[in-house]
């Protein structure tokens, strides 16, 4: 067999399932046969043309699968082994990785002239479905495989680890970037899959009051399961006023923005205490404006952290440990299941947020 089915970006508003050659394996690569993958909100941004990728690129960046073939230089793995790989798959020998920013590693782009000689390039650590063919296919080629493949512990199902490559890593990074300390009050704006993981991460890191904000009562109900203490539907109240009341006017210690709009970013800043941290996870599609008063004219000791989810086998190992410990159950986020042949219908469901969808499991 030399061909595989793959979901490709054609033009804004259009994806197609096509036949593509199964990739050749280089010495540092691994070919993974996909057993389960999923659709991310970023994929919807790509579909809509809000995040540009080249036509014909296979999209998707959340792989769970089995090693089909290993490159000659890859050690410590066996063909037939169940693995995941992070959505972010950098070269950990790069300057950016050794500088503590592996998600921003573009070292592999240096030969083509797309990156400066030290290899720093924003978002370039995100290769799957962005700069190389992604995971919504029957097979995916994992670069720098020895650093990026993580074996799945025995006893964990595909759906239990499906959130680890991106959604869980991103949501938890949002909580980590929020500088949460024991006893903190944290607000999480938007309770989509990433926001729900941020809610779970905030609780795991020691926040004792987690306030979840969304406009969907079903998602707010799920946020309670993920660890939210207070839920606020912005359709029913002025969220900023309500949170300031809840904190006696102090504001929250940390706010996590998990949607990527001016409204959520601004609200997160308005309820933040002086000296607090705003952790931004949203993918923004237009310029942001910072309100002068909420920003205290730049004098409020606020911290604003942004993030692209961490990847690599050690990050994936730690996340799967959290899943195996049953500290949090992210399998409940899988609400729908589709075959790869029906992925266009899956996108239509997910992009339009119908039928209570949170995450869709896609299987070849």
């Amino acid at each position: 067999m030399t061909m595989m089915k793959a979901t490709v970006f054609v033009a804004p508003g259009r994806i197609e399932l096509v036949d593509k050659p199964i990739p050749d394996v280089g010495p540092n690569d691994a070919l993974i046969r996909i057993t389960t993958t999923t659709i991310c909100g970023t994929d919807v941004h790509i579909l809509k043309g809000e995040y540009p990728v080249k036509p014909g690129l296979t999209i998707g960046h959340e792989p769970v699968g089995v090693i089909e073939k290993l490159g000659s230089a890859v050690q410590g793995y066996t063909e037939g082994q169940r693995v995941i790989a992070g959505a972010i798959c950098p070269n950990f020998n790069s300057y950016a990785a050794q500088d503590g920013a592996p998600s921003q590693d573009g070292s592999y782009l240096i030969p083509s002239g797309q990156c400066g000689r030290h290899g720093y390039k924003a978002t370039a650590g995100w290769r799957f479905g962005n700069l190389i063919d992604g995971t919504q296919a029957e097979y995916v080629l994992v670069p720098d495989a020895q650093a990026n493949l993580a074996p799945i512990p025995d006893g964990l199902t595909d759906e239990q680890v499906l959130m680890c490559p991106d959604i869980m890593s991103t949501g938890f990074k949002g909580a980590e970037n929020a500088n949460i300390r024991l006893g903190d009050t944290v607000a999480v704006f938007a309770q989509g899959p990433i926001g729900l993981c941020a809610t779970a991460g905030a609780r795991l890191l020691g926040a004792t009051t987690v306030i979840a904000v969304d406009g969907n009562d079903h998602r707010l109900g799920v946020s309670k399961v993920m660890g939210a203490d207070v839920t606020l539907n912005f359709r029913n109240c002025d969220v900023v006023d309500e949170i300031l009341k809840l904190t006696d006017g102090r504001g929250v210690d940390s706010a996590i923005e998990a949607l990527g709009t001016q409204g959520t970013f601004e609200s997160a800043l308005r309820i933040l205490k002086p000296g607090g941290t705003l952790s931004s996870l949203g993918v923004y599609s237009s310029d942001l404006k910072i309100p002068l008063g909420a920003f205290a004219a730049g004098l409020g000791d606020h911290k604003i952290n942004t993030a692209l989810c961490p990847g690599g086998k050690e990050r994936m190992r730690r996340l799967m440990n959290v899943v195996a410990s049953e500290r949090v159950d992210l399998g409940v986020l899988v609400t729908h299941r589709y075959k790869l042949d029906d992925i266009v219908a899956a996108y239509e469901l997910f992009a339009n947020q119908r039928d209570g969808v949170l995450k869709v499991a896609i299987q070849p």
Side-chain angles (χ1 to χ4, degrees):
M1 187 172 64
T2 60
M3 302 295 287
M4 66 175 184
K5 296 176 183 177
T7 309
V8 302
F9 172 78
V10 178
R14 183 179 169 199
I15 59 168
E16 290 182 358
L17 190 65
V18 302
D19 289 329
K20 295 182 82 167
I22 295 174
D24 293 327
V25 178
N28 295 310
D29 304 330
L31 183 67
I32 304 303
R33 176 174 57 82
I34 296 292
T35 53
T36 309
T37 187
T38 185
I39 302 171
C40 178
T42 308
D43 297 324
V44 176
H45 284 291
I46 290 171
L47 173 62
K48 292 179 178 179
E50 295 170 348
Y51 186 94
V53 300
K54 291 182 179 180
L57 185 78
T58 303
I59 52 180
H61 50 265
E62 295 156 281
V64 181
V66 175
I67 298 174
E68 184 78 8
K69 187 175 181 181
L70 286 169
S72 58
V74 182
Q75 300 179 2
Y77 300 87
T78 59
E79 293 176 358
Q81 188 174 21
R82 293 179 66 225
V83 290
I84 62 172
I88 308 303
C89 46
N91 171 5
F92 282 91
N93 295 314
S94 66
Y95 282 100
Q98 293 191 22
D99 194 26
S103 299
Q104 316 306 328
D105 165 44
S107 59
Y108 60 96
L109 298 171
I110 295 173
S112 64
Q114 299 177 65
C115 201
R117 71 184 182 92
H118 288 104
Y120 289 84
K121 188 174 179 63
T123 76
W126 167 30
R127 298 201 229 182
F128 293 137
N130 180 26
L131 295 166
I132 65 173
D133 279 339
T135 65
Q136 291 169 15
E138 292 181 292
Y139 296 89
V140 68
L141 191 70
V142 178
D144 295 295
Q146 191 157 331
N148 287 302
L149 286 180
I152 299 171
D154 292 340
L156 293 184
T157 67
D158 279 16
E159 290 190 6
Q160 284 179 292
V161 301
L162 182 58
M163 304 304 138
C164 296
D166 179 7
I167 300 303
M168 186 181 185
S169 188
T170 301
F172 278 29
K173 182 61 173 176
E176 290 160 335
N177 268 6
N179 298 320
I180 294 168
R181 296 180 296 178
L182 291 172
D184 272 355
T185 297
V186 179
V188 184
F189 284 81
Q191 293 295 296
I194 286 177
L196 289 166
C197 289
T199 295
R203 172 52 62 88
L204 287 172
L205 286 172
T208 50
T209 303
V210 180
I211 304 167
V213 180
D214 202 275
N216 182 303
D217 285 333
H218 172 67
R219 292 187 173 200
L220 289 171
V222 177
S223 75
K224 285 279 194 179
V225 178
M226 292 292 110
D229 301 285
V230 179
T231 59
L232 297 175
N233 188 321
F234 65 76
R235 302 182 192 281
N236 301 332
C237 67
D238 184 315
V239 168
V240 172
D241 284 350
E242 198 64 29
I243 292 175
L244 291 176
K245 289 177 186 175
L246 287 168
T247 59
D248 291 326
R250 175 179 182 271
V252 298
D253 298 286
S254 305
I256 302 172
E257 194 289 316
L259 184 60
T261 67
Q262 176 67 36
T264 48
F265 179 88
E266 188 170 322
S267 293
L269 190 57
R270 290 188 184 280
I271 53 92
L272 191 62
K273 75 174 186 183
T277 301
L278 194 165
S279 176
S280 173
L281 294 175
V283 179
Y284 301 94
S285 54
S286 61
D287 289 344
L288 283 173
K289 295 180 181 179
I290 295 180
L292 183 66
F295 196 50
L299 304 174
D301 281 329
H302 297 111
K303 303 166 192 71
I304 299 177
N305 289 330
T306 65
L308 180 59
C309 68
K313 62 186 179 185
E314 172 61 7
R315 176 70 170 185
M316 297 300 107
R317 182 192 69 82
R318 287 175 176 270
L319 295 179
M320 288 190 288
N321 275 357
V322 175
V323 173
S325 73
E326 299 182 350
R327 301 291 176 90
V328 62
D329 179 12
L330 298 180
V332 300
L333 300 186
V334 179
T335 55
H336 295 73
R337 295 161 183 84
Y338 280 80
K339 302 299 287 185
L340 182 62
D341 285 341
D342 300 317
I343 195 164
V344 173
Y347 262 91
E348 194 277 331
L349 170 80
F350 186 76
N352 291 289
Q353 292 296 292
R354 291 191 292 99
D355 299 338
V357 65
L358 288 172
K359 291 291 282 184
V360 180
I362 306 292
Q363 296 181 326

